[in-house]
Amino acid sequence: MPEVLFSVDQSRSFYDQAVPPHNRWHPDIPPVATVRPGAEFRLECREWFDGTVHNDDSANDIRDLDLSMVHPLSGPIAVEGAQPGDLLVVDILDIGPVPQETGPVAGQGWGYTGIFAKANGGGFLTEHFPDAYKAVWDFHGQIATSRHLPGVRFTGITHPGIIGTAPSHDLLGRWNAREAELIATDPNRVPPLAMPPDSRGAILGTLEGDAFERAAREAARTAPPRENGGNQDIKNLTRGARIFMPVYVEGGKLSVGDLHFSQGDGEITFCGAIEMGGYLDLGVDLIKGGMQTYGVTTNPVFHPGNVEPRYSEFLTFVGISVDEGGRQRYLDSHVAYRRACLNAIEYLTKFGYSPEQAYLLLGAAPIEGRFSGVVDIPNSCATLYLPTAIFDFDIRPSGDGPQRADRGSCARTS
């Protein structure tokens, strides 16, 4: 096993770890370790809501989650010799839930998927699903099943939701300025257009005193993906992936977190993956001056992982850029994918699932989302590929009609 450079005691809050993580992006957060190019190491991770979501049949915990605390990131790890303008080469060697542990914290043999309430962040389909719901998943090796979604069993595509390097002060300032400008266009929107810096709940590694207070006021939230990588939620960053990450500060300062046992393209419920704590084994190297040499100046590039579920048959749902009210949108791929998701949800209800169960399933299962046509005015076309083999019944259309059955229910609020 590689050397553990960041350890986590899963019985303790991330606010009470021997070495604290960080849940904001800021260039002044000190590294917890420095490694040489070519090093391999392990980072242990806490699940993104610090154990406040429970293995039960109530979604009250999802409804009441405090978004100011997310995400606890393990690191930063500095790489010797890394300078702004370099590319940090990161290999994902291995990843998984908390090893050899069962218990009350996600990652200890189980994980969860949640639909966030509209008033607390919402999700891709929040106008259709404004309330909180939850599904708990049990892990059986690489397989996930859920008592809240009977009839479904699939192999997970395990990956880190967040992997990123530290921003420079200049880049951080640009993030905050452009997101503040967006928020100002509709400051009272629910859910908000963006999450501005917020010192409530901030944890910044080993920063203390005045340095902490100053950084907490300007540090960026970890919710969106940005130029440093961050919360990209790309399911194909699994075992075998190689990521080429821009370096903006000395050492690069690599951090990871928000581990997922599985996820569909888009993570459409916001808490749409199967969330868990666990471990991540990484290897690192450097390409000096690589940002300019390869034109990787804004966002990372990567080779997808080579270990993933093998599903060969899909039922595919199509959406076009005509919104739910029948209004024509011009080449709007966001609307098109939303309509593909809604079409898939409507289809699954014919087999006995509630719309909320179907929504949770599409967030967690390894569905594939594609922009299939973006040039034929006025309609963009998006598609959602749902593996047929994840069901223990036949979901394909036939002359016999759908096999409707009692599919139970997901966890809901009381």
Side-chain angles (χ1 to χ4, degrees), residues 216-256:
R217 288 192 297 269
E218 61 187 19
R221 305 289 292 279
T222 56
R226 299 186 181 92
E227 289 89 336
N228 69 325
N231 196 21
Q232 298 176 115
D233 290 317
I234 299 171
K235 75 179 195 302
N236 302 98
L237 292 180
T238 187
R239 295 174 186 86
R242 170 169 285 187
I243 315 166
F244 301 87
M245 311 196 70
V247 173
Y248 298 103
V249 300
E250 184 177 353
K253 293 187 177 179
L254 176 71
S255 299
V256 302

Side-chain angles (χ1 to χ4, degrees), residues 19 40 43 80 106 146 189 192 223 287:
V19 178
E40 297 180 356
L43 304 178
E80 192 174 294
S146 175
R189 184 179 185 272
I287 298 177

Side-chain angles (χ1 to χ4, degrees), residues 3 51 61 72 137 167 192 194 235 283 307 317 323 336 338:
E3 180 184 4
D61 47 11
W137 300 87
K235 75 179 195 302
V307 180
F317 299 88
D323 69 20
R338 188 173 75 219

